[in-house]
Structures are given as structure tokens and as C-alpha cells.
Amino acid sequence: MSLTPANRIRLKILSGFLGSGKTTWLRHQLHEGALRGRVVIVNEAAAAAIDDALLADLARVIVIPGGCICCTRQAEFLAALRRHCDQARPPDIVLETSGLAEPARIVEAIRADPVLVHHMVIDDVLVTVDAVHARASLQSDPLVRRQLVSADRLLITKLDQLEEADVACLIATLRSINPGAQVTGTIRGEDARLPDHAGAEAFELPALAGQSEKPVVAADIAIDPAMGWEVFSLWLSALLHARGDEIFRIKGVVRTPAGRVLLQCVQKSVLPPEILPETQAGGGDFDNRVAFIGRGFDQSSLQRSITEFAADKT
Ligand SMILES: [Zn+2]
């Protein structure tokens, strides 16, 4: 893992199942002036692009229709990103994926591209969750669960169409699937308050084919600065090789001789580490802490692993 300075193009990924309200949310954000200056890339699995017509008056829109960019149209998507990078001052990007996409595969494709890996940085992964249909789709569809696990933020849409008690159970369910993601609510694109979900029970979800029964956990690991970046990198590589299939997300800030480094992984993909600006007093409270989301480990086993590894190498 080598360190490269920041000043890359930022990419925000907006994903979520078919009909879960991605475009409505994005349209509202653009209308309110959030995401100002960003180019919007819209991918539609259908041949006819409809979403771009809804967005075109609010932002510059690039449409990739007729297939999903995480699989069948991936080459075309990567080519579009490369063309974007070739501009003199390329703007940041919001990507609205098709409802069939797996955000982790998109991140993996960008990371594996020898040009894009040096030019792009993933801001965050947002996934919309339809309040009305989430329960049924979570019960039957492994894709919906895979979308959820790579999210930094889960947006529950159509919040006004579900009873508060059921929303509370949905929040508990989402937290059990991805304990690391922030959960927020929206109604027709506007932020909306979530009900209190303390004590709410998660829905019972059947294990789906190829899916482990082990619970998903979030662990927050302290990194001893004396360990050094090289040793930490080695430990992380070893962990991802051994356990990569059970790790969904890693995010944290590690202090290195080169500065504060933002480290992110989506499933097995390590994103290029990014040097962060030095913070004002008190802003570095989360330095040398790395959050892990996945299954098959817990806080103490992970902390023990890194401590023993570092003791071995130093
Ligand atoms: Zn796909």
C-alpha cells in the first residue's frame, strides 16, 4: 500500500434496490443545492433512461443505460470515468446506480483500474431502503442484503407510509445487518425524523443461500502509533487474505509519518489511502482508531490479533 496525496475526484455512490427512492432523494438534494457542482452519472438497467430526464434540469447528467455498471456495463462505466478524469478540472461525481448493482463491485472495479485508482476517491456509499417493501425484500433477496452491508449510510425512504413501531423494527433489522452504517429517514427526499427504536426487535430473517448465520458485528480497534504504518499494512493484508469474505467495511484514520491517513476498505478492496489535512485542536480524537464491520470476529479477537502481530514484528 503506497500513500498518495489527496486532490482526487470525489465519488459519492447512491445505491438501493429498484424503486427504493434513489432518484427522488437525489433530485431533492440537487434542488436544495447540496452536491453543488457535481456531475451526476445515472446507470439504468433498462434500455430507456428515465431518471436522467428527472435530473437533467438540476445537474449535468451522464447516462449509462441498458445494463448494470457493476457487471454487464462495467467496461463502459470505467471508460466514462476515465474520460471524466481526462478533463482539465474534472468535477466531483454523484453516481446513481441501477437497483441491481452491488456497490462493493463498483468500488472493486474502480480500485482495480490502473488509471482510476490514482484519480478517484470514494466519498461514501449511500443505500436507500424502502420502508414499505424492505421487510419482504430482505427476507427473500440476497442482493438487497449485499447492498446494505457496503453502506456508510442507510436512508429509509417513504417513512410516512409505515407505522412507527414497524419503522423501529426495520431500524433494528438494518442495524443487525450493518451495525456500522448511519441510519437516517426521508420523506419525498426531505430529511425526516426516525422514531425511537430502543428495545425494538429486528425482523427474523432466514439465512439465504451462501449466507452465513454468524451475526454481523462492528468493532472499533485502537492502533498503537508505535506499530508503524508498514506493520499495520501487513497485518491488514494478512487479515483480508484470511478473512476477506467476512469483512464488509473498514474505515478509520491512522497517523503515519506522512500525516493523517484515511483508510477505507469495501469488502476485500482497499481504497487508495488518502492523506487528510491536519485538524484543529481536538479534531483528531478519532485518529488511530479503525472501525471494522463484518462477521466471524469480535472486538477482543481483532484487537488481540493486531497486538500480537505487532509484538511479533517489532
Ligand atoms: Zn451489476
Side-chain angles (χ1 to χ4, degrees):
M1 240 188 301
S2 63
L3 300 181
T4 43
N7 81 350
R8 286 171 293 184
I9 302 159
R10 310 197 76 86
L11 175 69
K12 188 182 284 293
I13 299 177
L14 174 61
S15 189
F17 204 51
L18 299 161
S20 61
K22 296 183 291 294
T23 307
T24 304
W25 182 82
L26 180 55
R27 189 174 160 73
H28 185 80
Q29 299 300 308
L30 293 169
H31 188 259
E32 294 293 298
L35 309 170
R36 195 185 300 277
R38 293 211 184 208
V39 163
V40 177
I41 299 181
V42 179
N43 170 224
E44 291 205 53
I50 300 158
D51 286 353
D52 62 308
L54 298 171
L55 297 165
D57 55 332
L58 296 165
R60 190 155 78 79
V61 179
I62 298 166
V63 187
I64 304 177
C68 171
I69 55 166
C70 92
C71 41
T72 55
R73 306 290 275 190
Q74 191 187 97
E76 186 177 348
F77 170 61
L78 296 177
L81 287 185
R82 282 180 175 221
R83 281 195 301 278
H84 185 82
C85 292
D86 280 343
Q87 300 170 70
R89 283 171 174 274
D92 292 339
I93 300 171
V94 186
L95 168 66
E96 183 187 335
T97 73
S98 84
L100 302 174
E102 289 184 40
R105 293 179 64 162
I106 295 171
V107 173
E108 167 69 20
I110 292 172
R111 194 200 66 97
D113 185 285
V115 174
L116 298 176
V117 70
H118 297 298
H119 285 89
M120 313 217 64
V121 58
I122 313 284
D123 257 357
D124 51 7
V125 177
L126 273 59
V127 174
T128 49
V129 178
D130 182 326
V132 183
H133 298 112
R135 184 173 187 162
S137 48
L138 281 168
Q139 271 171 338
S140 60
D141 201 324
L143 171 62
V144 173
R145 295 196 206 173
R146 286 202 297 273
Q147 288 177 340
L148 295 187
V149 295
S150 354
D152 296 299
R153 183 172 155 202
L154 296 168
L155 283 165
I156 303 180
T157 61
K158 310 175 193 179
L159 206 54
D160 53 338
Q161 295 178 38
L162 192 67
E163 295 291 334
E164 285 214 344
D166 294 327
V167 174
C169 292
L170 176 58
I171 297 169
T173 309
L174 297 178
R175 299 208 68 87
S176 73
I177 296 171
N178 181 344
Q182 183 195 6
V183 181
T184 58
T186 88
I187 298 172
R188 286 175 292 280
E190 293 201 39
D191 290 350
R193 190 190 62 83
L194 290 176
D196 180 19
H197 68 284
E201 295 233 354
F203 306 137
E204 288 238 357
L205 296 180
L208 299 176
Q211 205 140 33
S212 161
E213 303 253 18
K214 292 179 215 160
V216 176
V217 295
D220 179 24
I221 300 303
I223 310 297
D224 178 0
M227 178 189 311
W229 175 255
E230 293 300 321
V231 173
F232 175 72
S233 286
L234 264 177
W235 172 76
L236 187 62
S237 304
L239 179 75
L240 290 172
H241 277 107
R243 310 281 291 278
D245 291 334
E246 297 191 309
I247 291 174
F248 305 141
R249 195 79 173 91
I250 301 174
K251 193 169 189 178
V253 176
V254 180
R255 282 211 163 263
T256 76
R260 305 172 64 227
V261 174
L262 174 65
L263 171 84
Q264 294 199 72
C265 304
V266 176
Q267 310 221 331
K268 278 187 228 180
S269 306
V270 183
L271 308 186
E274 184 184 358
I275 309 268
L276 297 176
E278 284 301 324
T279 52
Q280 306 300 321
D285 289 354
F286 294 97
D287 285 7
N288 291 321
R289 301 206 71 86
V290 178
F292 291 76
I293 312 289
R295 52 163 60 98
F297 58 81
D298 59 27
Q299 176 90 23
S300 57
S301 66
L302 215 52
Q303 189 75 62
R304 201 177 332 113
S305 158
I306 190 166
T307 306
E308 284 171 5
F309 188 88
D312 252 20
K313 300 283 170 195
T314 47

